[in-house]
Amino acid sequence: MKRILKIVGIILGVLILIAIALPFLIDANTFRPKLEAELTAALGREVKVGNLTLTLLQGGVEADNISIADDPQFSRAAFVQAKSLKVGVELIPLIFSKRLNVTELTLNQPEISLVKSENGEKWNFSSLGGKNPSAPTKKAPESSGNPNLSVAKLNVDNGRLTVSQVGEGTKRVYDKVNIGVQNFSFASSFPFQMTANTPSGGTMKLDGHAGPIDADDAAKTPLEAKIAVQNMNLASSGFIDPAAGIAGIADLDGTLNSNGREAKLNGTLKASNLQVVKKGSPAGKPVNIKFAIAHNLAKQTGDINQCDVAMGQAVAHLTGTYDVHGKVTVVNLKLNGQNMPVDDLEAMLPAVGVILPPKATLKGGNLNVNVASSGPVDKLVSAGTVKMENTQLAGFNLGQKMAAISALSGKNTGSDTTIQNFSSDVKMSPAGTEANNLNLTVPAIGVMTGAGTVSPANELAFKMKADVGGMGIPFGITGTTQDPKFTPDVKGIASGLLQNALSGQGQGANANQQNPINSVMGLFNKKKQPPK
């Protein structure tokens, strides 16, 4: 037994001596040309590796620096610049045959730059894989065999990813990027995981399979993954064109499937503080969205097959197409929402730029919307119809604002204004909002019709007519949406009264009693003088 222990002790001592001596006996830098050549041949990009150090106890070789060149059509700067590179190797071939059989590659704190071409059709990583004729090459030694890179583990630790487009100054930065790949090969599918911090806060996680790498365009590599994003800033995420004016914080859960030609994204999104237009402000309640999108990778266009936008029981359906290959996204969309409870939608009004008078709120009733939108998102034009029924504008006394006109009806609207019906054809553009064929029924006043505009600064310019007390009273609406001004059209009223008076002549003794001039005196706050 003592003899066996002595032999084991001798063997352990020899192994320790070998472990101590090998870094001095084997110059790891002798493997650098081979390592650079194989990586260059596999990636189709010139790869530079720094000083190599043998780390036997960790089972590999470490380089103090590594750089991978960019596609020269995009940049002369590095595509990847890493602080260090760890290369896991098979120890037995390394010790006894001095062969470098790579089993693991780990990039530590890399800076990765992803750049899209100006027309949006190519990425600077599209040529990865050795098929880019303009990329510099470095011939690998004959003993290197197949230049295709294949390793058991490929990792990125604590990286920084910058995404940009040629001709644009905006860059989106994802930090704390960690990627883990098992059984990586250019020629087959491999499992992967990726986590990162999204721009302006938030986290992202992808878990799935990718590959084989497309030999002509790596951006068209097949991919299937589950995606989860938390606290994503919509304005700076890169998923939505900033020119659209959409903002908010969102959580996304979905699946991403790409066959290299078409990518399909399905899932749900919950948005807080959602803002839909540039002049809007955050919505008062969260919005839930269920979506299904099919994106053509070559044309950079897509179909929105489903986009159900829900706030409480109010649900609107958005469908259409988009084109993102230019500098500004172009869309062709249809929004349809029927019988949507106004109580649930009231908190959404600020998000779409609708500003009510101070302390005024909409309560009760239903809203129907049917609107089509088209054009670049920064110059979007939307047109359609809006109809609201049996609602109440609480905290707003329309009768008081229209005192001169409502006096003819002999009724008082009170502090809350009941709206039996509101409908209008609308057109919204950067120039403002146009409302035509406007019809508003307020039981306490009457029926009001007309048309007008709302400027980008929310300034009102409407010409209306109120059917009050059997007469059509013209009036105008000016001011702002927060403080509207209702002014009788004196000239129009006088013209109408004159025509009515003339038409009443010769109708007998009751003509004077039916003369509408007597009925309209309240418009000018005149009182009859007492008899002398």
Side-chain angles (χ1 to χ4, degrees), residues 47 74 177 266 277:
V47 178
F74 285 83
V177 177
N266 302 270
V277 295

Side-chain angles (χ1 to χ4, degrees), residues 450-465:
T453 61
V454 183
S455 76
N458 292 315
E459 295 170 331
L460 305 174
F462 281 79
K463 290 184 178 181
M464 304 289 293
K465 179 182 284 188

Side-chain angles (χ1 to χ4, degrees), residues 346 349 355-362 392-397 482:
E346 207 271 340
L349 296 180
I355 300 176
L356 297 177
K359 299 181 180 180
T361 57
L362 286 170
Q392 188 178 73
L393 187 58
F396 184 76
N397 190 333
Q482 287 183 299

